[in-house]
Amino acid sequence: DVRREATITCCLLLLPFENGLKRGQNFNTLLDFNLGHVSTSLMEEVLQKLLRLAVSDLSPVVRLCVIRGLDSRYDPYLCQLYLLPPLFLVLEDEALAVRACVLQLLGRLSR
């Protein structure tokens, strides 16, 4: 499924893993390196679109991939007030796996 692969790729490439960066680099993300000050607004826009997909996609597999892709690297961004309502809306998803995954994500954000 193309939508599933696109969401996985987007989540993996938006923020790098910590061990992927070289020592001595002062960039928090690849977006800081490539885009400078635009990175925060770009990150917020992409996260809003991913969360919209997590709420509205017809496939529960795609919705689950979006939620699973938002790992702890995204926590500082997901704690923003305007990004929380879509996450709470996903709690009402028809698929139990999606609800369980978003509940874990919200629990992680509450710490």
Side-chain angles (χ1 to χ4, degrees):
D1 186 41
V2 174
R3 292 187 326 269
R4 181 177 60 90
E5 293 298 325
T7 59
I8 292 170
T9 303
C10 186
C11 289
L12 288 175
L13 293 179
L14 197 55
L15 285 178
F17 290 102
E18 291 179 13
N19 58 4
L21 295 175
K22 297 178 182 174
R23 283 188 167 200
Q25 280 185 320
N26 293 327
F27 307 114
N28 294 328
T29 66
L30 289 178
L31 293 173
D32 289 341
F33 175 73
N34 292 329
L35 301 173
H37 298 296
V38 180
S39 64
T40 303
S41 62
L42 179 64
M43 174 68 71
E44 292 169 354
E45 182 180 344
V46 172
L47 281 176
Q48 284 178 340
K49 290 180 181 185
L50 282 172
L51 290 174
R52 190 176 311 133
L53 186 66
V55 170
S56 64
D57 198 89
L58 295 176
S59 171
V61 174
V62 173
R63 295 191 307 264
L64 184 61
C65 285
V66 171
I67 300 300
R68 281 189 179 163
L70 299 174
D71 56 20
S72 60
R73 298 173 296 151
Y74 292 96
D75 288 356
Y77 298 99
L78 291 173
C79 287
Q80 302 300 317
L81 186 60
Y82 59 91
L83 292 177
L84 290 175
L87 290 173
F88 285 110
L89 197 58
V90 177
L91 283 173
E92 299 176 13
D93 196 275
E94 64 187 29
L96 180 61
V98 175
R99 291 191 310 244
C101 195
V102 79
L103 193 57
Q104 287 177 340
L105 189 147
L106 288 169
R108 191 179 70 227
L109 291 177
S110 69
R111 294 184 203 153

